Amino acid sequence: MARAAPTTAFGQAVIGPPGSGKTTYCLGMSEFLRAMGRRVAVVNLDPANEGLPYECAVDVSELVGLGDVMDALRLGPNGGLLYCMEYLEANLDWLRAKLDPLRGHYFLFDCPGQVELCTHHGALRSIFSQMAQWDLRLTAVHLVDSHYCTDPAKFISVLCTSLATMLHVELPHVNLLSKMDLIEHYGKLAFNLDYYTEVLDLSYLLDHLASDPFFRHYRQLNEKLVQLIEDYSLVSFIPLNIQDKESIQRVLQAVDKANGYCFGVQEQRSLEAMMSAAMGADFHFSSTLGIQEKYLAPSDQSVEQETMKL
């Protein structure tokens, strides 16, 4: 009997530096998706991830364990993790055998936090590329802790890292500023939040750094970094509060748009009921236009209206 053609699957590759909230995001997003009616499978690709708070459908620790690798090869945690990813890359048949029975599920891949895996090391990119060959359409969801916004120098470095990640991973990409519910505890922002999410004129950051005697000596270097970021014009962020359903819904809308996922009528009704319960009975999720009217700035709405007239 001929083997049935595999159906297209969709999902998210959740990446970002350690402590950015990837595992918490996978827990919150999986609960949100299940409430909408999606069948979700969370896949842990981080062999250093212990005490997982979510129900794990596939765990890479069953294939290779970080502790065993460190003991056997006398490697540190970073070197051991790179070896684990290379080992997974060399044994993708194991991963495919685990994923194939889960066809029909929406996948959340909880990835390791080592930055080099997403900026220049080839193993994770190769794994994502092979998944694409299996007709698995992923969006890279890159989490960055929002507290970096309070320090202009750190924010420039975050922009450079985000840009390098976007270019290296080679997936549809959504950048998130995580832990927005805690941003008030990190200190006062030099500019309003839109400045950081939309990555507006970065020359203001340079002027802000010029007031610091240390960074004054590195102005030319910072100017070149800012010029590189603005020349590519790729980096922007969506603020995320994982405790807020409205915030999660905005992120999911961007992710679904990036990888081409289209949800059905039943899921739409579940989302409408869930958001109505969270925001009050006056909330209506009747059309994409309604979402645009809610979240677009007034100037953007006027442009949208003129487009609709045409």
Side-chain angles (χ1 to χ4, degrees):
M1 181 181 295
R3 183 179 178 182
T7 58
T8 301
F10 295 85
Q12 304 176 27
V14 184
I15 57 179
S20 58
K22 297 185 296 298
T23 298
T24 303
Y25 173 86
C26 288
L27 173 63
M29 181 58 76
S30 63
E31 292 177 347
F32 185 84
L33 290 169
R34 289 191 179 102
M36 290 173 55
R38 287 193 200 181
R39 300 170 63 196
V40 182
V42 186
V43 180
N44 176 41
L45 292 185
D46 186 358
N49 220 349
E50 299 178 353
L52 297 172
Y54 49 73
E55 180 182 349
C56 189
V58 182
D59 192 347
V60 72
S61 297
E62 298 175 8
L63 174 68
V64 58
L66 179 60
D68 295 336
V69 169
M70 292 171 60
D71 292 339
L73 301 180
R74 297 182 180 181
L75 294 173
N78 287 336
L81 189 54
L82 295 180
Y83 178 89
C84 289
M85 289 298 99
E86 291 172 353
Y87 189 82
L88 175 60
E89 180 188 8
N91 292 273
L92 284 176
D93 289 343
W94 175 88
L95 182 60
R96 184 168 190 178
K98 292 287 187 179
L99 296 182
D100 277 349
L102 298 172
R103 286 287 177 171
H105 287 72
Y106 185 91
F107 291 98
L108 295 174
F109 291 93
D110 191 357
C111 299
Q114 266 57 23
V115 175
E116 56 266 35
L117 285 170
C118 296
T119 56
H120 59 273
H121 194 271
L124 199 58
R125 180 179 64 178
S126 177
I127 293 170
F128 293 152
S129 177
Q130 189 59 50
M131 288 182 186
Q133 300 298 318
W134 303 340
D135 207 10
L136 177 54
R137 299 183 184 179
L138 295 179
T139 294
V141 179
H142 181 228
L143 275 70
V144 175
D145 198 317
S146 59
H147 87 268
Y148 290 116
C149 295
T150 60
D151 188 324
K154 290 181 180 178
F155 187 65
I156 290 177
S157 68
V158 161
L159 292 174
C160 291
T161 303
S162 300
L163 178 60
T165 300
M166 295 177 75
L167 296 176
H168 181 74
V169 173
E170 297 180 343
L171 286 175
H173 202 99
V174 174
N175 291 305
L176 305 182
L177 286 176
S178 63
K179 306 180 185 178
M180 288 301 299
D181 53 320
L182 302 176
I183 194 169
E184 294 182 356
H185 301 286
Y186 297 142
K188 186 177 180 180
L189 297 179
F191 309 98
N192 59 38
L193 184 60
D194 290 344
Y195 179 85
Y196 300 94
T197 57
E198 300 300 327
V199 189
L200 303 173
D201 190 351
L202 298 180
S203 62
Y204 292 106
L205 279 182
L206 296 176
D207 295 337
H208 195 77
L209 286 173
S211 61
D212 189 316
F214 176 80
F215 290 106
R216 190 178 302 148
H217 299 290
Y218 299 96
R219 183 176 179 88
Q220 289 186 341
L221 173 61
N222 288 324
E223 285 177 349
K224 294 299 182 183
L225 292 175
V226 164
Q227 181 181 349
L228 177 67
I229 295 166
E230 292 183 333
D231 284 348
Y232 274 96
S233 190
L234 290 175
V235 184
S236 62
F237 296 94
I238 299 175
L240 170 67
N241 175 5
I242 198 62
Q243 306 297 331
D244 181 21
K245 292 181 179 179
E246 184 180 357
S247 178
I248 301 175
Q249 188 270 329
R250 287 199 298 268
V251 170
L252 182 61
Q253 182 188 15
V255 172
D256 286 347
K257 182 178 180 180
N259 64 14
Y261 182 92
C262 296
F263 52 80
V265 175
Q266 183 59 45
E267 183 174 319
Q268 184 173 354
R269 291 174 179 170
S270 300
L271 177 59
E272 181 178 356
M274 183 167 53
M275 297 304 293
S276 296
M279 303 176 62
D282 292 336
F283 179 84
H284 297 285
F285 190 79
S286 57
S287 66
T288 304
L289 182 59
I291 298 175
Q292 293 172 343
E293 291 174 350
K294 182 174 180 62
Y295 297 115
L296 287 179
S299 59
D300 293 332
Q301 290 183 33
S302 61
V303 173
E304 184 72 18
Q305 291 168 359
E306 291 300 322
T307 304
M308 293 295 292
K309 292 178 182 179
L310 295 176

